[in-house]
Amino acid sequence: MNVTTMTSKPALLQPRRLIGLALLAALIAPGLPQAHAKAAGSLNLYTARHYSSDDALYEKFTKATGIKVNVVSAGDEALLQRIKSEGAASPGDVLLLADASRLFAAEQDGLFQATPSKTLENAIPANLRSGNLWFGLTTRARVLVIDPARVKPESVKTYSNLASPALKGLVCTRTAAHPYMISLIASQAAHNGADKAEAWAKGVVANLARKPKGGDTDQIKAVASGECGVAVSNSYYYARLMRSTKPEDKAVVAKTKLVWPDQAGRGAHINVSGGGTLKNAPNKDNARKFLEFLASKETQADFANGNNEWPVVAGVKTDNPALASLGEFKRDPQAIADFAKQIRTAQQIADKTGWK
Ligand code: FE
């Protein structure tokens, strides 16, 4: 497996940075060697998933199929720019991204082509993919993490509660310019309409304990340290802390509690990481085989065990003590592609309410 890493940071689409990023991409991640572009036994993977456990999966794929995986790993924005600047000559076969808002942005930019596959259609529920253009491959929930000494679980039963005046000065989130927050706002807009979503966002901003900074894990740690009473985080960050052997991580978990939102209503917001075949893929067949491999029961279990996400495929047995101890919860069945359509609205709401 060849791995090229581009070192620019992932971020949402900010036009001002685009030229700089295209340049950066060209400078620090030169194209895959031409010999790799089209070869019967190779696959060129562009991935913005940032989880080290994925590498073992690619090696398994090579062992099973003989198809060599050349990996270009970078932040989503740099990858999207690279694919666009490579145009029809792009050697990229498959693009993997974390979060539906990023997948939708790539779809809007016309970067994917359909992957007709009965295997994928049968394995992945329709609400977790965009037709056969891109496919959710893992699921994660947007959850709340509380300091039970300061915030009672009853007062954060729903995402709506985050805007309640009772939580003034207690709420912590990463910036709403980030895809994970944009997707949550988009989901609110899809369910309740843009006006209600904006009013909600305004209420959450009014409750912030501090200016948004850091990633999801930083929010959880800030709950443990007493800076925040309740944080918003992707589920796998909390599960990762639960599985950590570091005393400081164990202390964070001991001090906090995960709360599944909207359990009496529509269920917790579910997002995916996923991918599809790139429009100009030189190795289309290998791309399909690779996506089918990622949707196989074995790989689905590996995803769950390695990055603490849940399979998209039904009936997969996982072996993950953190996920097992978190137990079952109610999931919002909302189609990913439906809330992804509200992303522009969500970005406007984030801007308008100054959630950054
Ligand atoms: Fe993440």
Side-chain angles (χ1 to χ4, degrees):
M1 182 178 59
N2 290 339
V3 180
T4 307
T5 305
M6 293 158 73
T7 52
S8 60
K9 288 208 170 108
L12 244 210
L13 307 168
Q14 295 167 359
R16 272 170 295 147
R17 296 183 59 202
L18 294 188
I19 294 168
L21 279 166
L23 244 176
L24 190 68
L27 283 174
I28 60 174
L32 292 159
Q34 260 331 95
H36 288 154
K38 184 169 170 61
S42 73
L43 172 94
N44 300 321
L45 171 67
Y46 286 10
T47 178
R49 274 177 59 93
H50 54 94
Y51 318 112
S52 54
S53 48
D54 285 5
D55 292 344
L57 299 183
Y58 311 150
E59 274 160 25
K60 271 195 185 176
F61 173 71
T62 302
K63 262 197 193 143
T65 61
I67 298 167
K68 193 168 164 251
V69 183
N70 304 306
V71 183
V72 174
S73 174
D76 58 296
E77 204 180 333
L79 275 184
L80 297 185
Q81 277 315 302
R82 175 171 173 155
I83 295 162
K84 281 184 228 168
S85 62
E86 287 171 343
S90 177
D93 294 310
V94 167
L95 174 64
L96 293 184
L97 296 169
D99 204 274
S101 65
R102 288 170 171 149
L103 288 157
F104 185 67
E107 174 181 338
Q108 291 288 90
D109 285 342
L111 301 188
F112 290 122
Q113 65 170 298
T115 307
S117 161
K118 278 277 162 246
T119 304
L120 289 171
E121 258 177 54
N122 292 337
I124 303 173
N127 66 324
L128 300 177
R129 54 185 163 88
S130 182
N132 60 5
L133 211 47
W134 52 263
F135 304 86
L137 295 164
T138 67
T139 59
R140 59 273 295 277
R142 201 94 184 115
V143 299
L144 305 178
V145 177
I146 59 168
D147 173 357
R150 298 179 73 194
V151 172
K152 297 289 158 221
E154 307 83 75
S155 54
V156 286
K157 279 185 166 168
T158 65
Y159 298 108
S160 299
N161 288 156
L162 293 174
S164 149
L167 294 179
K168 191 152 188 75
L170 289 167
V171 179
C172 281
T173 73
R174 70 196 305 160
T175 169
H178 190 276
Y180 298 169
M181 294 307 302
I182 290 291
S183 281
L184 182 61
I185 298 170
S187 156
Q188 295 284 311
H191 275 305
N192 306 328
D195 289 349
K196 280 192 178 157
E198 185 179 329
W200 172 75
K202 213 172 153 187
V204 178
V205 171
N207 284 344
L208 290 177
R210 60 177 191 179
K211 196 174 150 56
K213 60 175 176 182
D216 285 357
T217 304
D218 298 306
Q219 315 310 316
I220 299 170
K221 287 180 175 171
V223 171
S225 74
E227 202 177 350
C228 319
V230 54
V232 181
S233 173
N234 275 357
S235 48
Y236 57 86
Y237 291 110
Y238 196 77
R240 190 184 293 167
L241 290 168
M242 289 172 78
R243 292 177 78 182
S244 172
T245 52
K246 291 184 191 164
E248 61 269 30
D249 292 342
K250 286 176 183 285
V252 167
V253 173
K255 190 93 198 328
T256 57
K257 183 177 167 29
L258 183 147
V259 178
W260 305 111
D262 287 284
Q263 294 303 285
R266 59 183 175 245
H269 169 69
I270 295 297
N271 210 304
V272 295
S273 72
T277 305
L278 282 162
K279 192 180 167 199
N280 298 303
N283 306 293
K284 226 161 69 171
D285 271 359
N286 292 353
R288 177 185 47 77
K289 284 179 195 160
F290 182 67
L291 291 167
E292 288 175 351
F293 170 81
L294 296 183
S296 68
K297 288 198 168 174
E298 190 189 339
T299 311
Q300 286 285 302
D302 286 344
F303 269 137
N305 300 335
N307 191 45
N308 306 306
E309 293 174 273
W310 292 283
V312 290
V313 173
V316 173
K317 281 204 168 53
T318 59
D319 178 18
N320 183 318
L323 295 185
S325 87
L326 287 174
E328 289 301 312
F329 65 100
K330 186 174 178 185
R331 295 157 165 253
D332 186 344
Q334 183 180 44
I336 303 283
D338 280 354
F339 75 73
K341 286 178 193 136
Q342 298 297 319
I343 277 157
R344 298 240 183 283
T345 303
Q347 282 168 328
Q348 285 161 2
I349 289 172
D351 282 348
K352 260 200 209 168
T353 55
W355 194 346
K356 56 189 171 193

